[in-house]
Amino acid sequence: DNDQKMKIASQILNLPTIEIPPRDMGQLQEIWEATSDSFRGMEERLPPGTLGHRVSKWLGVGTSIVNGRLHEINVPTLAVVGDEDTLMPSKNEGERLRKVLPKSEILNVPKRGHFVLDDTVNLTEAILYSEIDPLGWKQKKRKYDPILDWRFPSQEDINYATENTVKPFERALSPVYFSTDATGKRWKGLSKLPEKKGPLLFVANHQTLGADMRFIFSTMLKETGIFPRGLAHPIVFAAQN
């Protein structure tokens, strides 16, 4: 009944481990009602037996798979945690995610517990000034760096370039490729190029305007998985400046 709800609400309000900002009973009543509605809805959609099965049979397997692939998330990520959360190990978990996710950062909200996102925390502002940079503020402040900002092209872009700029030259010139092993013996194809274990400098003469480089590079990518990046003397780019 309502009296029982108010007693429970009063107990929650005085829990030191939750550490929410001071609220009046009216606000807490609204929170309680919203929480009760959500639990009732979950009970209808997720019966105890189903919930127990998912927790006992699925949770462990699911987390092991997800944790093993977190390093593949290559988008800016912001973890927001309460600095004094004693209900869950949020601070430690935030630090773990910051180390595992390649482009992540953590926002520790001081003197806050588990209920960290409310009207005292401006989540929109936190996102705007984070590395997520949804409005591109940070990108506008610096120029594109061809080394640090380079990203491997998509398979769609590679296929498009191959069909439109590589294959026409291959049909016209019918190139043949050879590589040399460690003993000096020549082999047809590029299988004897050094294994892709680190940086590799490919030095060669080229035809007029480097027209042959496109299908040499394409073949290297196809046969060895090496994606070469062309270098040129600065004079080549002088006209752009």
Coordinates of all heavy atoms in Angstrom, one line a residue, residues 6-55:
M6 N 6.0 4.5 1.1 CA 6.6 5.7 1.7 C 7.7 5.3 2.7 O 8.7 5.9 2.8 CB 5.6 6.6 2.4 CG 4.6 7.2 1.4 SD 5.4 8.2 0.1 CE 6.2 9.5 1.1
K7 N 7.4 4.2 3.5 CA 8.5 3.7 4.4 C 9.7 3.2 3.6 O 10.8 3.5 4.0 CB 7.9 2.6 5.2 CG 6.8 3.0 6.2 CD 6.3 1.8 7.0 CE 5.2 2.3 8.0 NZ 4.7 1.1 8.8
I8 N 9.4 2.5 2.6 CA 10.6 2.0 1.7 C 11.3 3.2 1.1 O 12.5 3.2 1.1 CB 10.1 1.0 0.7 CG1 9.4 -0.2 1.3 CG2 11.2 0.6 -0.3 CD1 8.8 -1.2 0.3
A9 N 10.5 4.2 0.6 CA 11.2 5.3 0.0 C 12.0 6.1 1.0 O 13.1 6.6 0.7 CB 10.1 6.3 -0.5
S10 N 11.5 6.2 2.3 CA 12.3 6.8 3.3 C 13.6 6.1 3.6 O 14.6 6.7 3.8 CB 11.5 6.9 4.6 OG 12.2 7.6 5.6
Q11 N 13.5 4.8 3.6 CA 14.8 4.0 3.8 C 15.8 4.2 2.7 O 17.0 4.4 2.9 CB 14.4 2.5 3.9 CG 13.6 2.1 5.2 CD 14.4 2.3 6.5 OE1 15.6 2.1 6.5 NE2 13.8 2.8 7.5
I12 N 15.3 4.2 1.4 CA 16.1 4.4 0.3 C 16.8 5.8 0.4 O 18.0 6.0 0.1 CB 15.4 4.3 -1.0 CG1 14.9 2.8 -1.2 CG2 16.2 4.7 -2.2 CD1 14.0 2.6 -2.4
L13 N 16.0 6.8 0.8 CA 16.5 8.2 0.8 C 17.7 8.3 1.8 O 18.6 9.1 1.6 CB 15.4 9.1 1.2 CG 15.7 10.6 1.2 CD1 16.0 11.1 -0.2 CD2 14.5 11.4 1.8
N14 N 17.7 7.5 2.8 CA 18.7 7.6 3.8 C 19.9 6.6 3.7 O 20.7 6.5 4.6 CB 18.1 7.4 5.2 CG 17.1 8.6 5.6 OD1 17.5 9.7 5.5 ND2 15.9 8.3 5.9
L15 N 19.9 5.8 2.6 CA 21.0 4.9 2.3 C 22.3 5.7 2.0 O 22.3 6.4 1.0 CB 20.6 3.9 1.2 CG 19.7 2.8 1.5 CD1 19.4 2.0 0.2 CD2 20.3 1.8 2.5
P16 N 23.3 5.5 2.8 CA 24.6 6.2 2.5 C 25.3 5.7 1.3 O 26.1 6.4 0.6 CB 25.4 6.0 3.8 CG 24.9 4.8 4.3 CD 23.4 4.7 4.0
T17 N 25.0 4.4 0.9 CA 25.8 3.8 -0.2 C 25.3 4.3 -1.5 O 26.1 4.3 -2.5 CB 25.6 2.3 -0.1 OG1 24.3 2.0 -0.2 CG2 26.3 1.7 1.1
I18 N 24.1 4.8 -1.6 CA 23.6 5.3 -2.9 C 24.1 6.7 -3.2 O 24.4 7.1 -4.3 CB 22.0 5.2 -2.9 CG1 21.6 3.7 -2.9 CG2 21.5 5.8 -4.2 CD1 20.2 3.5 -3.0
E19 N 24.1 7.5 -2.2 CA 24.6 8.9 -2.3 C 24.1 9.7 -3.4 O 24.8 10.2 -4.2 CB 26.2 8.8 -2.4 CG 26.8 8.1 -1.3 CD 28.2 8.6 -0.9 OE1 28.6 9.6 -1.6 OE2 28.9 8.1 -0.1
I20 N 22.7 9.8 -3.4 CA 22.1 10.7 -4.4 C 22.0 12.0 -3.8 O 22.0 12.1 -2.5 CB 20.7 10.1 -4.8 CG1 19.8 9.9 -3.6 CG2 20.8 8.8 -5.5 CD1 18.4 9.5 -3.9
P21 N 21.9 13.1 -4.6 CA 21.7 14.4 -4.0 C 20.4 14.5 -3.2 O 19.5 13.7 -3.4 CB 21.7 15.3 -5.2 CG 22.3 14.6 -6.3 CD 22.0 13.1 -6.0
P22 N 20.3 15.4 -2.2 CA 19.1 15.5 -1.4 C 17.9 15.8 -2.2 O 17.9 16.6 -3.2 CB 19.4 16.7 -0.5 CG 20.9 16.8 -0.4 CD 21.4 16.3 -1.8
R23 N 16.8 15.0 -1.9 CA 15.6 15.2 -2.7 C 14.4 15.3 -1.6 O 14.5 14.7 -0.5 CB 15.3 14.0 -3.6 CG 16.4 13.8 -4.7 CD 16.1 12.6 -5.5 NE 17.2 12.3 -6.5 CZ 17.3 12.9 -7.7 NH1 16.4 13.8 -8.0 NH2 18.2 12.6 -8.5
D24 N 13.4 15.9 -2.0 CA 12.2 15.9 -1.1 C 11.4 14.6 -1.4 O 11.6 13.9 -2.4 CB 11.4 17.1 -1.3 CG 10.9 17.3 -2.8 OD1 10.5 16.3 -3.4 OD2 10.8 18.4 -3.3
M25 N 10.5 14.3 -0.5 CA 9.7 13.1 -0.6 C 8.8 13.0 -1.9 O 8.6 12.0 -2.4 CB 8.9 12.9 0.6 CG 9.7 12.7 1.9 SD 10.7 11.2 1.8 CE 9.5 9.9 1.7
G26 N 8.4 14.2 -2.4 CA 7.6 14.2 -3.6 C 8.4 13.7 -4.8 O 7.9 12.9 -5.6
Q27 N 9.7 14.2 -4.9 CA 10.5 13.8 -6.0 C 10.8 12.3 -5.9 O 10.8 11.5 -6.9 CB 11.8 14.5 -6.0 CG 11.7 16.0 -6.5 CD 13.0 16.7 -6.4 OE1 13.7 16.7 -5.3 NE2 13.4 17.3 -7.5
L28 N 11.1 11.8 -4.7 CA 11.4 10.4 -4.5 C 10.2 9.5 -4.8 O 10.3 8.4 -5.3 CB 11.9 10.2 -3.1 CG 12.6 8.8 -2.8 CD1 13.8 8.7 -3.8 CD2 13.0 8.7 -1.4
Q29 N 9.0 10.1 -4.5 CA 7.7 9.3 -4.8 C 7.6 9.1 -6.3 O 7.2 8.1 -6.8 CB 6.5 10.1 -4.3 CG 5.2 9.4 -4.6 CD 5.0 8.1 -3.8 OE1 5.6 7.9 -2.9 NE2 4.0 7.3 -4.3
E30 N 7.9 10.2 -7.1 CA 7.9 10.1 -8.6 C 8.8 9.0 -9.1 O 8.5 8.2 -10.0 CB 8.2 11.4 -9.2 CG 7.1 12.5 -8.9 CD 7.5 13.8 -9.5 OE1 8.6 13.9 -10.2 OE2 6.8 14.8 -9.3
I31 N 10.1 9.0 -8.5 CA 11.1 8.0 -8.9 C 10.6 6.6 -8.5 O 10.7 5.7 -9.3 CB 12.4 8.3 -8.2 CG1 13.0 9.7 -8.7 CG2 13.4 7.2 -8.5 CD1 14.2 10.1 -8.0
W32 N 10.0 6.5 -7.4 CA 9.5 5.2 -6.9 C 8.4 4.7 -7.8 O 8.4 3.5 -8.2 CB 9.0 5.3 -5.5 CG 8.4 4.0 -5.0 CD1 7.0 3.7 -5.0 CD2 9.0 2.9 -4.5 NE1 6.8 2.5 -4.5 CE2 8.0 1.9 -4.2 CE3 10.4 2.5 -4.3 CZ2 8.3 0.7 -3.7 CZ3 10.7 1.3 -3.7 CH2 9.7 0.4 -3.5
E33 N 7.5 5.5 -8.2 CA 6.4 5.1 -9.1 C 6.9 4.7 -10.4 O 6.4 3.7 -11.0 CB 5.4 6.2 -9.2 CG 4.6 6.5 -7.9 CD 3.6 7.7 -8.0 OE1 3.6 8.3 -9.1 OE2 2.9 7.9 -7.0
A34 N 7.8 5.5 -11.0 CA 8.4 5.1 -12.3 C 9.1 3.8 -12.2 O 9.0 3.0 -13.1 CB 9.3 6.2 -12.8
T35 N 9.9 3.6 -11.1 CA 10.6 2.4 -11.0 C 9.7 1.2 -10.8 O 9.9 0.1 -11.4 CB 11.6 2.4 -9.8 OG1 12.4 3.6 -9.9 CG2 12.4 1.2 -9.7
S36 N 8.6 1.4 -10.0 CA 7.7 0.3 -9.8 C 7.0 -0.1 -11.1 O 6.8 -1.3 -11.4 CB 6.6 0.7 -8.8 OG 7.2 1.0 -7.6
D37 N 6.6 0.9 -12.0 CA 6.0 0.6 -13.3 C 7.0 -0.2 -14.1 O 6.6 -1.1 -14.8 CB 5.6 1.9 -14.0 CG 4.5 2.6 -13.3 OD1 3.7 1.9 -12.5 OD2 4.3 3.8 -13.5
S38 N 8.3 0.2 -14.1 CA 9.2 -0.5 -15.0 C 9.4 -2.0 -14.5 O 9.5 -2.9 -15.4 CB 10.6 0.2 -15.0 OG 11.1 0.2 -13.7
F39 N 9.4 -2.2 -13.2 CA 9.5 -3.6 -12.7 C 8.3 -4.4 -13.0 O 8.4 -5.6 -13.3 CB 9.8 -3.6 -11.2 CG 11.3 -3.4 -10.8 CD1 11.7 -2.2 -10.2 CD2 12.2 -4.3 -11.2 CE1 13.0 -2.0 -9.9 CE2 13.6 -4.1 -10.9 CZ 14.0 -3.0 -10.2
R40 N 7.1 -3.8 -12.9 CA 5.9 -4.5 -13.2 C 5.9 -4.9 -14.7 O 5.5 -6.0 -15.1 CB 4.7 -3.7 -12.9 CG 4.3 -3.7 -11.4 CD 2.9 -3.1 -11.2 NE 2.9 -1.7 -11.5 CZ 3.1 -0.7 -10.6 NH1 3.4 -1.1 -9.3 NH2 3.1 0.5 -10.9
G41 N 6.4 -4.0 -15.6 CA 6.4 -4.3 -17.0 C 7.4 -5.4 -17.3 O 7.2 -6.3 -18.1
M42 N 8.6 -5.4 -16.6 CA 9.6 -6.4 -16.8 C 9.0 -7.8 -16.3 O 9.3 -8.8 -16.9 CB 10.8 -6.1 -16.0 CG 12.0 -7.0 -16.3 SD 13.5 -6.6 -15.5 CE 13.1 -6.9 -13.8
E43 N 8.3 -7.8 -15.2 CA 7.8 -9.0 -14.7 C 6.8 -9.7 -15.7 O 6.7 -10.9 -15.8 CB 7.1 -8.8 -13.3 CG 6.6 -10.1 -12.7 CD 5.9 -9.8 -11.4 OE1 5.6 -8.6 -11.0 OE2 5.6 -10.8 -10.6
E44 N 6.0 -8.8 -16.4 CA 5.1 -9.3 -17.4 C 5.8 -9.9 -18.6 O 5.4 -10.9 -19.2 CB 4.1 -8.2 -17.8 CG 3.2 -7.8 -16.6 CD 2.4 -6.6 -17.0 OE1 2.5 -6.1 -18.2 OE2 1.6 -6.1 -16.2
R45 N 6.8 -9.2 -19.0 CA 7.5 -9.6 -20.3 C 8.6 -10.6 -20.0 O 9.1 -11.3 -20.9 CB 8.1 -8.3 -20.9 CG 7.1 -7.3 -21.4 CD 7.7 -6.1 -21.9 NE 6.8 -5.1 -22.4 CZ 6.1 -4.3 -21.7 NH1 6.3 -4.3 -20.4 NH2 5.2 -3.4 -22.2
L46 N 9.1 -10.7 -18.8 CA 10.2 -11.6 -18.5 C 9.9 -12.3 -17.2 O 10.3 -11.9 -16.1 CB 11.5 -10.7 -18.3 CG 12.9 -11.5 -18.4 CD1 13.0 -12.1 -19.8 CD2 14.0 -10.5 -18.1
P47 N 9.2 -13.4 -17.3 CA 8.9 -14.2 -16.1 C 10.1 -14.7 -15.3 O 11.2 -14.8 -15.9 CB 8.1 -15.4 -16.7 CG 7.6 -15.0 -18.0 CD 8.7 -14.0 -18.5
P48 N 10.0 -15.0 -14.0 CA 11.1 -15.4 -13.2 C 11.9 -16.6 -13.8 O 13.2 -16.6 -13.7 CB 10.5 -15.7 -11.8 CG 9.3 -14.9 -11.8 CD 8.8 -14.8 -13.2
G49 N 11.2 -17.5 -14.3 CA 11.9 -18.7 -14.9 C 12.8 -18.3 -16.1 O 13.9 -18.8 -16.2
T50 N 12.2 -17.4 -17.0 CA 13.0 -17.0 -18.1 C 14.2 -16.2 -17.7 O 15.3 -16.3 -18.2 CB 12.1 -16.2 -19.1 OG1 11.0 -16.9 -19.5 CG2 12.9 -15.7 -20.3
L51 N 14.0 -15.3 -16.7 CA 15.1 -14.5 -16.2 C 16.2 -15.3 -15.6 O 17.4 -15.1 -15.8 CB 14.5 -13.5 -15.2 CG 15.6 -12.5 -14.5 CD1 16.2 -11.7 -15.6 CD2 14.9 -11.7 -13.5
G52 N 15.8 -16.3 -14.8 CA 16.8 -17.2 -14.1 C 17.6 -17.9 -15.2 O 18.8 -18.1 -15.0
H53 N 16.9 -18.4 -16.2 CA 17.6 -19.2 -17.3 C 18.6 -18.3 -18.0 O 19.8 -18.7 -18.2 CB 16.6 -19.7 -18.3 CG 17.2 -20.4 -19.4 ND1 17.7 -21.7 -19.4 CD2 17.5 -19.9 -20.7 CE1 18.2 -22.0 -20.6 NE2 18.1 -21.0 -21.4
R54 N 18.2 -17.0 -18.3 CA 19.2 -16.2 -19.0 C 20.4 -15.8 -18.1 O 21.5 -15.7 -18.7 CB 18.4 -14.9 -19.5 CG 17.4 -15.2 -20.5 CD 16.7 -13.9 -21.0 NE 15.7 -14.2 -22.1 CZ 15.0 -13.3 -22.7 NH1 15.2 -12.0 -22.4 NH2 14.2 -13.6 -23.6
V55 N 20.1 -15.6 -16.9 CA 21.2 -15.2 -16.0 C 22.2 -16.3 -15.8 O 23.4 -16.2 -15.8 CB 20.7 -14.7 -14.6 CG1 21.8 -14.5 -13.6 CG2 19.9 -13.3 -14.8

